[in-house]
């Protein structure tokens, strides 16, 4: 099921692009049909994964105290346009204005979505669908419960199928009575999710007249284990996958105008005003799909697995990395962990692409230090937005660090940690300041000296310092020397020439020129 997500992304992404560009109504309708069925396939895969997690006992209940009347009422509003479109009378009736029950909100949404979707599927135009919430109801076990009943006056379910309706992969419409195809998974998942809530679900139906699904959920929380309760009653469980594939944040694509280069050119020729993106993905078509979204705005470097990706990350020092999770040789989790623990690459933002939508997988991704993650299949425009946002955040962070350093160029600012820099990057800056503070008076100390002492190549050091401070390595050393000189000039510690030599300048005239460019004054005017 995980493997299906990559080709689905490669189907849904280009279709979305084509639909947005086409004006011919007939062609657009055809593509919309393809898109709709691809989304159905994607939803089916999500259901299969949920079944797999249920079987393995990995789909956990995280219940919180919820006003179920309000929750169901709000959720039914999303079906109102569908009801109008199909001329179906949709009603909601509850015998109380408020009724609090401990439920897992996302899982209840899956249950209601399946049952309401089925009701619409098998109710003809002019029909009626009603949802009732009733309390109290006593279950067969004698427990006080709340009843949620979804009824329709559609075609009903043949008697011989009713006892199998919740069986996995069982389809009640194989008799030819129904024109809608099903998968036999939705109702099976409903039953398991209801039972996960310690509740029951049953069906009542008379062919040609009506169908009713009745859910009984126990009230209170005595029936729940400690680990079945959410940490906060206001925080819903995120195990269920979000299905809003195309309702993504608007992105201004007018800035995506420059042509990128191929991989070899990226290595040989770095253009200063274009950020570098490293794409790590074992599927060549997926790499091409992602590349297509960034080729006009970024220099693109590619790798086919985490091991190759780590080599590229250390060699190129990209501005951002987009990596798949499931790859041979080294997976994305291990790759991200290595990126974030290597001093040369720890500052690089990483976005992980994962086929696993579970809460555990998301937590695992974030625990590696990943800055963001996107579940496959994904919309390429959403990936653009996420990448652009992270690039902007790094730029703001760099500007903040630069401002702090202008105030205290002779040491790492004490409040560095409050502006979002990682501990490893702060340690790198500490080492850099210490290195320069020890050697600044030596005129032979230069960028090459820094490279030797830090164990980085010139490119690695340059891009690391540039990413954190906005300065090149050479600028960083020069600005440090000039600030030290300004401090000595204020203390009248010697003549301009003496101080120039003391801070590592071999030429007093060059020192005066650099000093004037930095501070807008000649050294002789300080004091």
């Amino acid at each position: 099921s995980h493997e299906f997500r990559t080709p689905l992304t490669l189907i849904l992404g280009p279709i979305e692009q084509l639909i947005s560009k086409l004006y011919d109504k007939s062609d657009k309708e055809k593509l919309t049909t393809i898109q709709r069925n691809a989304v159905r396939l994607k939803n089916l895969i999500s259901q299969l994964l949920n079944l797999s997690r249920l079987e393995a006992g990995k789909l956990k209940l995280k219940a919180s105290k919820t006003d179920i009347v309000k929750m169901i009422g709000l959720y039914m509003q999303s079906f109102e346009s569908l009801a109008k479109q199909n001329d179906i009378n949709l009603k909601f009736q509850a015998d109380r204005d408020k009724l609090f029950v401990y439920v897992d909100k996302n899982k209840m949404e899956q249950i209601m979505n399946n049952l309401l979707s089925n009701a619409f599927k098998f109710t003809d135009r002019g029909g009626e669908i009603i949802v009732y919430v009733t309390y109290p109801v006593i279950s067969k076990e004698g427990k006080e419960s709340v009843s949620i009943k979804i009824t329709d006056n559609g075609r009903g379910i043949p008697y011989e199928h009713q006892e199998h309706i919740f069986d996995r992969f069982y389809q009640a419409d194989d008799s030819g009575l129904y024109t809608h195809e099903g998968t036999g998974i939705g109702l099976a998942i409903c039953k398991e999710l209801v039972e996960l809530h310690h509740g029951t679900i049953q069906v009542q139906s008379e062919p040609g007249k009506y169908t009713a699904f009745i859910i009984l959920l126990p009230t209170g929380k005595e029936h729940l284990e400690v680990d079945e309760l959410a940490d906060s009653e206001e925080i819903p469980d995120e195990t269920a996958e979000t299905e809003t594939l195309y309702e993504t944040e608007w992105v201004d694509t007018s800035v995506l105008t420059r042509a990128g280069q191929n991989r070899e050119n990226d290595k040989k020729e770095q253009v200063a005003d274009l950020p570098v993106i490293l794409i790590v993905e074992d599927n060549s078509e997926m790499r091409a799909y992602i590349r297509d979204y960034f080729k006009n705005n970024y220099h693109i470097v590619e790798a086919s697995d985490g091991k190759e990706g780590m080599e590229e990350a250390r060699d190129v020092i990209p501005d951002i990395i987009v990596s798949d999770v499931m790859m041979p040789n080294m997976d994305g989790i291990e790759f991200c962990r290595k990126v974030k623990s290597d001093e040369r690459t720890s500052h690089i933002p990483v976005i992980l692409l994962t086929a696993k939508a579970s809460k555990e997988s998301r937590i695992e991704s974030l625990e590696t230090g990943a800055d963001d993650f996107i579940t496959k299949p994904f919309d390429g425009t959403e990936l653009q937005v996420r990448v652009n946002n992270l690039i902007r955040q790094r730029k703001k962070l760099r500007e903040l660090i630069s401002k702090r350093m202008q105030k205290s160029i002779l040491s790492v600012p004490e409040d560095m940690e409050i502006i979002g820099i990682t501990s490893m990057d702060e340690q790198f800056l500490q080492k850099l300041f210490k290195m320069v503070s020890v050697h600044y008076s030596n005129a032979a100390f230069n960028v090459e000296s820094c490279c030797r002492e830090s164990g980085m190549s010139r490119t690695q050091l340059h891009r690391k310092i540039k990413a954190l401070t906005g300065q090149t390595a050479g600028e960083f050393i020069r600005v440090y020397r000039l600030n030290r000189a300004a401090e000595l000039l204020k203390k009248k510690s010697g003549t301009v020439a003496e101080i120039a030599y003391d801070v590592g300048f071999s030429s007093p005239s060059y020192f005066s020129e650099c000093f004037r460019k930095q501070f807008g004054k000649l050294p002789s005017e300080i004091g």
Side-chain angles (χ1 to χ4, degrees):
S1 295
H2 290 311
E3 292 301 320
F4 292 150
R5 291 180 178 270
T6 293
L8 265 177
T9 298
L10 296 171
I11 293 169
L12 285 165
I15 288 172
E16 175 70 9
Q17 288 179 301
L18 289 170
I19 288 173
S20 65
K21 293 176 182 178
L22 279 177
Y23 293 97
D24 184 272
K25 187 177 180 181
S26 175
D27 288 344
K28 185 171 283 193
E29 286 177 353
K30 291 172 186 174
L31 283 173
T32 302
T33 300
I34 297 170
Q35 181 191 46
R36 183 171 61 252
N37 282 280
V39 170
R40 284 187 63 204
L41 181 57
K42 183 250 185 186
N43 292 341
L44 171 59
I45 290 166
S46 296
Q47 290 178 331
L48 286 170
L49 290 171
N50 276 337
L51 277 178
S52 176
R53 287 197 290 269
L54 280 164
E55 277 190 338
K58 292 182 179 179
L59 201 61
K60 302 296 184 182
L61 189 73
K62 288 297 178 183
S64 59
K65 191 176 182 180
T66 304
D67 182 354
I68 201 148
V69 174
K70 181 180 179 182
M71 185 190 76
I72 293 176
L74 288 172
Y75 186 63
M76 285 182 65
Q77 290 178 12
S78 63
F79 283 86
E80 286 178 355
S81 60
L82 181 62
K84 289 179 182 177
Q85 181 182 334
N86 290 283
D87 192 25
I88 290 174
N89 186 20
L90 180 63
K91 293 181 180 179
F92 177 46
Q93 296 181 10
D95 58 7
R96 292 169 182 256
D97 293 334
K98 291 184 178 180
L99 183 57
F100 289 94
V101 183
Y102 278 83
V103 295
D104 186 317
K105 295 177 185 176
N106 277 320
K107 292 178 179 59
M108 279 303 300
E109 184 172 317
Q110 288 183 73
I111 293 166
M112 294 300 298
N113 180 63
N114 265 309
L115 296 177
L116 281 170
S117 295
N118 273 349
F120 275 96
K121 190 185 295 185
F122 299 116
T123 301
D124 294 327
R125 297 185 70 86
E128 186 173 71
I129 297 172
I130 306 175
V131 177
Y132 301 91
V133 175
T134 308
Y135 175 81
V137 176
I138 305 301
S139 68
K140 290 181 180 178
E141 294 78 16
K143 294 179 181 178
E144 188 178 89
S145 305
V146 58
S147 168
I148 303 166
K149 185 177 181 181
I150 299 95
T151 69
D152 66 73
N153 61 353
R155 306 169 200 182
I157 302 169
Y159 295 116
E160 64 270 22
H161 293 298
Q162 291 181 23
E163 63 178 303
H164 302 291
I165 198 72
F166 296 110
D167 294 350
R168 294 181 183 184
F169 311 112
Y170 186 85
Q171 294 173 274
D173 53 351
D174 61 358
S175 62
L177 289 174
Y178 306 114
T179 58
H180 301 276
E181 57 181 294
T183 61
I185 296 177
L187 289 176
I189 286 180
C190 275
K191 183 174 186 291
E192 302 221 28
L193 291 180
V194 169
E195 290 176 351
L196 203 62
H197 282 84
H198 304 275
T200 61
I201 183 171
Q202 59 176 312
V203 63
Q204 296 174 353
S205 184
E206 188 171 338
K209 291 188 176 181
Y210 78 94
T211 297
F213 285 93
I214 303 161
I215 299 168
L216 294 184
L217 297 176
T219 54
K221 60 179 178 179
E222 294 75 17
H223 58 284
L224 298 171
E225 301 292 336
V226 174
D227 63 353
E228 292 180 320
L229 290 167
D231 294 333
S232 167
E233 293 183 2
E234 300 303 319
I235 303 175
D237 175 32
E238 296 180 354
T239 303
E241 182 178 355
T242 302
E243 301 298 341
T244 52
L245 281 178
Y246 301 105
E247 296 175 4
T248 54
E249 180 181 347
W250 177 83
V251 58
D252 182 3
T253 56
S254 63
V255 299
L256 309 178
T257 56
R258 292 180 175 145
Q261 306 295 320
N262 61 33
R263 179 177 173 184
E264 291 304 315
N265 286 340
D266 278 325
K267 287 185 174 182
K268 295 176 182 176
E269 184 182 357
Q270 298 288 332
V271 179
D273 58 350
L274 287 181
V276 177
I277 183 170
L278 170 60
I279 302 169
V280 187
E281 165 66 63
D282 60 322
N283 185 294
S284 59
E285 286 186 315
M286 179 62 80
R287 288 201 305 274
Y289 171 65
I290 297 171
R291 183 172 64 242
D292 192 53
Y293 277 93
F294 294 97
K295 65 183 180 182
N296 296 326
N297 188 45
Y298 289 79
H299 277 285
I300 297 169
V301 181
E302 297 179 30
S304 59
D305 58 50
K307 185 178 179 182
E308 186 183 341
M310 198 65 223
E311 293 172 0
E312 296 288 6
R314 288 169 178 158
D315 183 29
V316 178
I317 314 295
D319 293 282
I320 192 163
I321 296 171
V322 175
S323 173
D324 189 21
V325 169
M326 298 177 72
M327 298 182 293
N329 297 323
M330 183 192 295
D331 65 24
I333 298 296
E334 181 63 21
F335 167 63
C336 183
R337 189 176 288 114
K338 283 183 178 293
V339 167
K340 293 299 184 178
S341 60
D342 190 313
E343 188 177 66
R344 293 164 288 185
T345 57
S346 58
H347 65 284
I348 303 171
V350 178
I351 297 177
L352 291 179
L353 307 176
T354 175
K356 298 179 180 180
S358 68
K359 183 177 181 180
E360 292 79 7
S361 299
R362 298 177 187 190
I363 291 172
E364 184 183 22
S365 298
L366 294 174
E367 282 178 343
T368 65
D371 298 83
D372 204 350
F373 62 87
I374 298 180
T375 303
K376 289 181 177 180
F378 59 87
D379 181 4
T381 305
E382 180 184 2
L383 180 60
Q384 276 184 323
V385 171
R386 304 276 187 103
V387 167
N388 292 338
N389 283 346
L390 281 174
I391 291 290
R392 282 195 294 269
Q393 288 171 15
R394 294 302 300 186
K395 184 179 179 182
K396 290 178 181 178
L397 177 61
R398 189 164 57 243
E399 290 169 353
L400 285 168
I401 293 173
S402 180
K403 287 178 182 178
R404 300 287 201 283
M405 288 175 56
Q406 286 172 11
K407 296 177 183 177
S408 181
I409 190 62
L410 303 180
S411 63
V412 176
E414 292 180 358
D415 60 348
M416 187 69 80
E417 70 278 359
I418 70 169
I419 58 175
I421 192 169
T422 66
S423 59
M424 179 159 284
D425 289 337
E426 186 178 359
Q427 289 170 17
F428 169 79
L429 287 175
Q430 292 279 9
K431 285 170 61 177
L432 183 64
F433 275 108
K434 185 176 181 181
M435 187 194 313
V436 178
S437 68
V438 170
H439 300 293
Y440 75 91
S441 59
N442 180 1
F445 180 75
N446 56 18
V447 175
E448 282 70 26
S449 306
C450 268
C451 291
R452 285 193 299 272
E453 197 156 328
S454 65
M456 295 187 187
S457 69
R458 189 182 182 95
T459 299
Q460 289 169 341
L461 186 69
H462 166 80
R463 289 188 64 79
K464 178 81 176 182
I465 296 175
K466 185 81 172 176
L468 291 174
T469 69
Q471 299 174 335
T472 65
E475 288 170 343
F476 185 90
I477 296 170
R478 184 169 64 251
V479 171
Y480 187 97
R481 283 170 163 157
L482 291 171
N483 276 271
R484 179 64 72 186
E487 195 177 66
L488 294 172
L489 286 166
K490 288 176 182 178
K491 294 178 180 178
K492 302 187 185 300
S493 299
T495 65
V496 171
E498 289 172 340
I499 289 174
Y501 292 125
D502 286 345
V503 297
F505 282 86
S506 56
S507 167
S509 61
Y510 179 61
F511 165 71
S512 295
E513 180 185 340
C514 292
F515 195 94
R516 182 175 59 79
K517 284 182 179 178
Q518 178 69 19
F519 299 109
K521 295 181 179 180
L522 289 170
S524 56
E525 297 173 339
I526 302 295

